Amino acid sequence: METTNRQEQNEAAGDALSLSCEQWQARLEEWGEPRFRAGQVCQWIYARKVFDYHEMTNLSKALRERLCGEVLMTLPIQIQEQLSQDGTRKFLWQMADGQRVESVLLDHGGHKTACISTQVGCPLKCAFCATGALGFTRNLTVGEILGQFLMMERRCLDRSLQEGVNNIVFMGMGEPLLNEANVLEAIRRLNHPKMRNLGARHITISTSGIVPGIEDLADFEIPVRLSVSLHAPSDALRSKLMPVNRTYPLSRLVEALRLYRQRTGERITIEYVLIDGVNDDPQMAYEMAALLDGLNPYVNLIPYNVPPQGLAGRPSQFQRSPDARVKAFCAALTALHIEFEVRRERGSDILAACGQLAARARS
Ligand code: SAH
Ligand code: SF4
């Protein structure tokens, strides 16, 4: 409800990033502008990252003035930017109400991926995750989700002309499918040909396994990629690591993944954080293979990042699997003919790696 209210408030106030292309069209037509005008405004914002109406030079002066007065352009305020030795950048943003989130820009040889937050904190409290330890404050609005992306993309354009962001992953703070309406709406705008025109193949949602959300994605008109954080092949262990498993146990999760696979034909990525002595026994690779039989998943093994800031003020009880155990787990996956990769750690020196995002929620 909180989000819906905030969304409604933003729309009532006429906030620019809360408007879809069709809403821009309706608004500008009401003002007596031709149909193509909405496309021009959206091009400025989403393609060229020009957020100041005064700089939208193909609009009349009168229209620019009216936009300034009536359609607020609210963007996240950048509080901090940190650069990692490996080229990863972490940004700390402050939203209009003072809440803060982080997002990360990864650079693989010029190929850029924006990792975006969807909530302030997260309600799901996975035992290993720094974001979960923060607790949940609120969902981000469509404009706040898009704002992180657009600000980072503008930052790229500052540095290397005309090179935007190639991919967006919803893997920052929060659970995207618990803020489903806003995340899907943000994706519609990123994908819209008159807005950012980012292809579905370049958009990934990572979920801890929110079954109704996965079922919705099976029918979503934009075939985005799906990553599922599995982390354990049995309900007993998964419920300990990820309390959400008590609501959506593995049988229901796998059923939803089969539906998604069947409806979309898309291959699913399974994320599996390797934690020493907890979920890295090669036997668990066999259990995972049995669980996911017929799904032909792609497995992403993530070395556990020990959050140095601790989890809710206490040191993490978990450790990263040593190399020998990672190798043994990989050997089991190879024997099972499961395709996998070990995700290279990025940005850990600036606490930008998976599970390390824990922006202080308030200023
Ligand atoms: N809430 C979503 C997306 C954000 S978390 C989800 O859980 O999928 C992004 C990924 O980072 C998830 O796979 C999550 O399990 C993983 N992660 C969380 N804490 C981690 C840590 N300390 N080390 C490595 N990966 C972690
Ligand atoms: Fe939330 Fe994902 Fe962290 Fe779990 S891993 S607490 S779902 S952000």
Side-chain angles (χ1 to χ4, degrees):
M1 277 321 285
E2 160 78 18
T3 312
T4 316
N5 289 340
R6 177 172 297 279
Q7 196 68 42
E8 280 165 5
Q9 279 164 14
N10 284 355
E11 273 167 27
D15 192 280
L17 293 189
S18 75
L19 299 176
S20 65
C21 194
E22 293 68 29
Q23 286 167 325
W24 271 113
Q25 228 154 35
R27 174 78 57 99
L28 293 173
E29 272 182 43
E30 253 172 52
W31 293 3
E33 294 289 334
R35 268 191 90 75
F36 65 82
R37 198 66 81 209
Q40 286 179 326
V41 174
C42 291
Q43 278 293 303
W44 281 111
I45 300 172
Y46 290 91
R48 304 181 66 171
K49 264 61 68 179
V50 168
F51 307 131
D52 181 347
Y53 295 119
H54 292 296
E55 291 173 25
M56 300 185 181
T57 46
N58 57 0
L59 310 183
S60 71
K61 191 148 186 293
L63 176 57
R64 286 186 254 163
E65 295 292 341
R66 188 160 183 194
L67 284 168
C68 284
E70 295 186 36
V71 189
L72 281 178
M73 180 69 74
T74 314
L75 289 153
I77 298 166
Q78 185 182 314
I79 301 294
Q80 200 177 29
E81 174 181 335
Q82 285 171 279
L83 176 61
S84 156
Q85 283 170 357
D86 63 22
T88 302
R89 279 168 202 270
K90 183 169 83 166
F91 297 85
L92 174 63
W93 309 110
Q94 182 163 307
M95 303 304 173
D97 64 350
Q99 296 293 339
R100 292 177 171 191
V101 296
E102 292 177 322
S103 32
V104 178
L105 187 63
L106 299 130
D107 192 328
H108 304 266
H111 194 90
K112 297 190 188 64
T113 299
C115 178
I116 301 289
S117 293
T118 55
Q119 300 184 311
V120 182
C122 179
L124 294 182
K125 301 201 179 314
C126 297
F128 45 81
C129 173
T131 307
L134 286 176
F136 174 68
T137 304
R138 69 168 174 85
N139 281 333
L140 294 181
T141 64
V142 177
E144 289 168 337
I145 294 170
L146 289 171
Q148 296 167 64
F149 178 85
L150 292 173
M151 290 291 281
M152 287 204 283
E153 192 158 50
R154 187 171 71 172
R155 183 73 182 86
C156 294
L157 296 177
D158 283 351
R159 282 180 295 127
S160 48
L161 271 181
Q162 298 312 322
E163 272 193 46
V165 172
N166 308 86
N167 296 298
I168 181 168
V169 294
F170 292 94
M171 287 189 192
M173 301 168 69
E175 167 50 53
L177 295 182
L178 288 183
N179 185 13
E180 186 186 332
N182 289 349
V183 168
L184 297 192
E185 197 50 41
I187 289 174
R188 286 192 186 96
R189 304 204 187 155
L190 290 167
N191 180 250
H192 196 293
K194 291 197 173 135
M195 298 181 103
R196 177 53 180 78
N197 199 21
L198 184 68
R201 325 293 311 150
H202 299 275
I203 303 171
T204 301
I205 292 184
S206 172
T207 178
S208 58
I210 306 297
V211 165
I214 295 171
E215 289 167 350
D216 291 344
L217 282 183
D219 292 324
F220 186 42
E221 71 270 17
I222 304 168
V224 296
R225 291 177 184 269
L226 177 63
S227 267
V228 178
S229 300
L230 188 69
H231 308 326
S234 68
D235 279 321
L237 178 58
R238 194 164 190 270
S239 294
K240 269 193 216 154
L241 295 175
M242 305 177 73
V244 67
N245 193 70
R246 294 183 202 133
T247 312
Y248 302 113
L250 286 169
S251 55
R252 287 199 61 196
L253 175 59
V254 171
E255 201 182 319
L257 296 183
R258 289 193 198 288
L259 176 84
Y260 173 89
R261 178 94 173 97
Q262 204 181 5
R263 294 255 171 95
T264 65
E266 297 292 333
R267 194 171 192 197
I268 296 161
T269 297
I270 297 291
E271 291 162 277
Y272 199 97
V273 175
L274 287 170
I275 307 175
D276 188 20
V278 173
N279 65 353
D280 60 352
D281 190 314
Q283 177 57 32
M284 292 187 191
Y286 285 88
E287 287 173 40
M288 175 159 68
L291 180 74
L292 303 176
D293 187 38
L295 270 174
N296 187 28
Y298 183 79
V299 174
N300 226 324
L301 298 175
I302 311 171
Y304 179 61
N305 295 309
V306 181
Q309 69 271 52
L311 299 169
R314 270 176 279 122
S316 171
Q317 75 213 77
F318 302 119
Q319 290 303 320
R320 172 179 295 201
S321 303
D323 284 353
R325 287 186 75 87
V326 174
K327 277 202 184 119
F329 201 87
C330 291
L333 290 178
T334 306
L336 287 157
H337 304 288
I338 293 184
E339 241 188 291
F340 70 92
E341 70 175 344
V342 182
R343 191 187 283 171
R344 264 182 54 214
E345 183 179 54
R346 305 293 306 238
S348 55
D349 54 335
I350 54 166
L351 303 187
C354 294
Q356 294 186 321
L357 300 187
R360 285 195 39 223
R362 280 206 170 271
S363 48

